Amino acid sequence: MKTSTARLAPRAMRFLRRRTRVLLLLAGWSLLESAHTFLGGYGVAKALDDGFLTGHTDVGLAWLAVTALAVVIGGLAGRGVFRGLADLVEPLRDSLVRQVVARSLTQAVAKPAQAADSAVISRLTNQTEIARDSFAGLVLVARSFFFTAAGALLGLLSLAPQLLLIVVPPLIAGLLLFLATLRPMAARQRAFLEADEALSTRFGAVAEGLRDVVACGAQEQTAARAYGLIEDEARAARHLAGWSAVRCLALGLAGQLPILLLLVTAPWLLRQGVTAGVVLGALTYLTQSLLPALHTLMNALGSAGTRLLVVLDRLTTDSGQEPATTAHFAPTATHSAPTTTPTTPAPAPVAHTPPNGPRVDLRAVTFAYGPGAQPVLHDLDLTVQPGEHLVVVGPSGIGKSTLTALIAGLLAPDHGEIRIDGRPVRAPSGPDPSLQRVLIPQQAYVFSGTLRENLLYLCPDGASTSALESSSEAVGLGPLVHRLGGFDTRIAPGSLSQGERQLIALGRAHLSPAPLILLDEATCHLDPAAELRAERAFADRPGTLIIVAHRIASARRADRILLLDGTRATCDTHDELLARSALYRDLAGSWHPQALGRGQGLFRKPGLKPVALTGQLHNPSASMRPTLGPES
């Protein structure tokens, strides 16, 4: 904290020097306030000694009138103080906001693949307001205490010098004890803000990866990590509260002990020739001016002061480091360049494994996003045979991702049922969902940790290095593993492109024991050669495969194709859809039917025949712009 103070002090002095006129204005109004403080106690003493106790009621009332006038003048001075305060506080807040925004934009431009910094939300909304309010409070109370203490101590000295011997020692003792708490309180305040930022970063990252969390059945693990951060913040708050209790002791010593000593020593003061009016004036100084100002100052320094120092240090320091959270879902950058996969020849096709994946059944499934919305899916009946390779195509916004989310259990149908091997997809009990199905969305999530930890995330029983190597080579992850330095290399999600993150997510899904794989445009950031290799790997992998296609070539490689067109669903082979569906021909673009037919069913698993599908889809508002086109 001493280093932070030394670093911030020059900046603070430059900031204040540029606003000398505002400071002089505040000092002038504060000096007027100090006159009110001086007359407050002095007028009461004179009203009692020279007026009421001597039988001169008019003199006593006159002194009280002067005191009341001083209160009015003090109120006018306070109004001027608040006007000048805005000219000092608002520029500070504006400067801090500019610094936070400029630094965030600079980092985003310098590292476009860097994960978004969720903690910047805390700095812009919470911490800049803390700095603004804390600085305003400190200026207000420091100014008030300085001029109020000057007026009160001058008044005590003018009434009777002995009063200073009673008031000053406990006042200094309390101040010293209070100052001793500032440094540890600042450290606790820093720990609290760091915990708050870590929690904000965690929640931002989990919100980005919530779909994967639910699809992989990782709710309990994710919640446990979040609960740990919540407990860290609560622990920091408790430590801060403990030092606040010590501060309260200092307040009692400096704020209440002088009054007690004055009352106890009143007989001795009277024997020393101090009048009753002087004693009452001293009590007025203590209770009405000095001690309230002291309480306000201690509270401000103990809370606002430490908060301001810590927040300014964090807002003006560019650490250049990523949050040190472990194994978190990293937000995906929106401007990462797709990875370019080396043109290494794909391995020769291997013999197909007999179909042994789960059967997926949808019966009269209807789903809409809200009670008044048009259904995206309406009375959809679909059967995906065990081990089948199904591709889902259709215009943008037609409901392809919705369908995969329903099968993954992320969404619940409004009507109908979805079963996997005869078991409801959202069964309240049974096997871990992450062991039954894996959904890889368009935005793939990779957490901070080793590459091995990322790949084994869906393998509760672990896997051998040879299995890791096999899956990595199958999906085309091998070159990236080599470039990174092996499976035990720690990776930072923000340093990877979106295509590289997709390769890692595909390797994780390929290695998992789940027999049902759902790929929702999970290869959209890969080039056609890399996509071909990845889809071939999953087609060769035992299990059932459902893909939301990104390119028309993906549809050519499927056993069957499910076409969603906004009014009805059609499921058939590639050749049949070309013959029957004008929309599918539009999606296929300029591909010639004969040329397409030669590649149809490239990865079809043996023994699978077209299965009829019925059902209607109502989504007239969906864009009919094709999302699939000819490969380049």
Side-chain angles (χ1 to χ4, degrees), residues 362 364-381 392-406 411-415 548 562-570 613-624:
L362 286 77
V365 170
T366 297
F367 178 84
Y369 288 98
Q374 287 285 340
V376 180
L377 303 176
H378 182 71
D379 287 340
L380 175 62
D381 292 329
V392 183
V393 299
S396 177
I398 207 67
K400 303 184 295 294
S401 294
T402 300
L403 178 61
T404 58
L406 286 164
L411 300 174
D414 299 327
H415 302 288
V548 174
L562 173 64
L563 174 64
L564 306 181
D565 64 4
T567 57
R568 61 193 180 92
T570 306
L613 174 144
T614 62
Q616 300 291 320
L617 291 97
H618 298 287
N619 192 8
S621 63
S623 169
M624 298 305 290

Side-chain angles (χ1 to χ4, degrees), residues 366-455:
T366 297
F367 178 84
Y369 288 98
Q374 287 285 340
V376 180
L377 303 176
H378 182 71
D379 287 340
L380 175 62
D381 292 329
L382 172 66
T383 297
V384 183
Q385 297 292 343
E388 185 175 6
H389 178 182
L390 177 75
V391 162
V392 183
V393 299
S396 177
I398 207 67
K400 303 184 295 294
S401 294
T402 300
L403 178 61
T404 58
L406 286 164
I407 297 174
L410 300 181
L411 300 174
D414 299 327
H415 302 288
E417 64 175 359
I418 304 173
R419 292 180 174 271
I420 297 178
D421 268 351
R423 185 178 183 83
V425 71
R426 293 171 64 96
S429 61
D432 184 352
S434 65
L435 302 178
Q436 303 298 314
R437 58 188 179 273
V438 170
L439 169 64
I440 303 297
Q442 179 177 346
Q443 301 295 337
Y445 299 97
V446 178
F447 56 82
S448 297
T450 66
L451 182 57
R452 184 187 300 272
E453 290 169 341
N454 272 274
L455 293 175

Side-chain angles (χ1 to χ4, degrees), residues 65-151:
V66 171
T67 304
L69 180 61
V71 173
V72 175
I73 295 175
L76 295 175
R79 181 181 180 185
V81 166
F82 279 99
R83 284 183 175 178
L85 188 63
D87 295 332
L88 193 63
V89 170
E90 296 304 327
L92 174 68
R93 179 186 179 278
D94 294 342
S95 175
L96 292 175
V97 169
R98 283 195 296 270
Q99 288 186 52
V100 172
V101 172
R103 187 167 71 246
S104 299
L105 291 177
T106 300
Q107 292 175 350
V109 172
K111 298 180 179 180
Q114 179 81 26
D117 183 9
S118 300
V120 74
I121 304 300
S122 174
R123 289 194 285 271
L124 275 177
T125 58
N126 187 29
Q127 296 185 31
T128 54
E129 288 303 318
I130 289 177
R132 173 184 177 274
D133 295 343
S134 300
F135 181 63
L138 278 178
V139 170
L140 196 61
V141 300
R143 169 212 58 84
S144 176
F145 176 77
F146 178 79
F147 287 96
T148 298

Side-chain angles (χ1 to χ4, degrees), residues 24 41 63 147-148 163 286-287 309 361 407 454 594:
L24 291 176
W63 275 109
F147 287 96
T148 298
L163 296 174
L286 289 176
T287 58
L309 188 62
D361 291 295
I407 297 174
N454 272 274
Q594 285 76 14

Side-chain angles (χ1 to χ4, degrees), residues 234-250:
R235 187 182 304 110
R238 288 194 295 269
H239 291 163
L240 188 62
W243 281 102
S244 297
V246 179
R247 187 191 66 193
C248 291
L249 178 61

Side-chain angles (χ1 to χ4, degrees), residues 125-385:
T125 58
N126 187 29
Q127 296 185 31
T128 54
E129 288 303 318
I130 289 177
R132 173 184 177 274
D133 295 343
S134 300
F135 181 63
L138 278 178
V139 170
L140 196 61
V141 300
R143 169 212 58 84
S144 176
F145 176 77
F146 178 79
F147 287 96
T148 298
L153 292 176
L154 181 62
L156 289 172
L157 181 62
S158 65
L159 291 177
Q162 300 95 318
L163 296 174
L164 296 179
L165 297 176
I166 299 172
V167 172
V168 171
L171 184 65
I172 293 177
L175 283 173
L176 291 176
L177 177 61
F178 172 74
L179 292 175
T181 67
L182 290 180
R183 186 170 182 178
M185 283 194 69
R188 299 301 182 271
Q189 186 69 52
R190 172 182 284 274
F192 177 79
L193 287 176
E194 288 175 346
D196 183 66
E197 280 193 6
L199 188 61
S200 176
T201 300
R202 159 65 68 177
F203 284 164
V206 169
E208 290 285 342
L210 192 59
R211 179 177 177 178
D212 281 0
V213 170
V214 179
C216 300
Q219 298 97 318
E220 293 186 2
Q221 295 174 339
T222 304
R225 296 189 184 112
Y227 290 152
L229 293 177
I230 293 172
E231 181 56 33
D232 289 343
E233 184 170 359
R235 187 182 304 110
R238 288 194 295 269
H239 291 163
L240 188 62
W243 281 102
S244 297
V246 179
R247 187 191 66 193
C248 291
L249 178 61
L251 283 173
L253 182 61
Q256 303 301 325
L257 189 57
I259 297 176
L260 179 62
L261 291 178
L262 184 61
L263 294 177
V264 171
T265 59
W268 174 79
L269 289 172
L270 292 176
R271 289 196 299 270
Q272 297 297 317
V274 176
T275 64
V278 169
V279 175
L280 182 60
L283 282 172
T284 302
Y285 279 128
L286 289 176
T287 58
Q288 301 300 316
S289 299
L290 184 60
L291 298 184
L294 177 64
H295 278 245
T296 304
L297 177 68
M298 286 188 171
N299 280 317
L301 286 177
S303 56
T306 53
R307 281 201 307 269
L308 178 63
L309 188 62
V310 172
V311 169
L312 286 179
D313 182 49
R314 297 189 67 78
L315 291 178
T316 58
T317 300
D318 184 8
S319 63
Q321 297 177 349
E322 294 185 14
T325 52
T326 302
H328 67 277
F329 287 95
T332 305
T334 57
H335 301 289
S336 301
T339 185
T340 302
T341 303
T343 57
T344 304
V350 297
H352 290 286
T353 303
N356 61 351
R359 174 188 172 107
V360 179
D361 291 295
L362 286 77
R363 293 292 174 260
V365 170
T366 297
F367 178 84
Y369 288 98
Q374 287 285 340
V376 180
L377 303 176
H378 182 71
D379 287 340
L380 175 62
D381 292 329
L382 172 66
T383 297
V384 183
Q385 297 292 343

Side-chain angles (χ1 to χ4, degrees), residues 527-540:
D527 57 42
E531 180 183 65
L532 170 63
R533 180 168 184 160
E535 290 189 3
R536 173 179 290 170
F538 281 99
D540 291 340

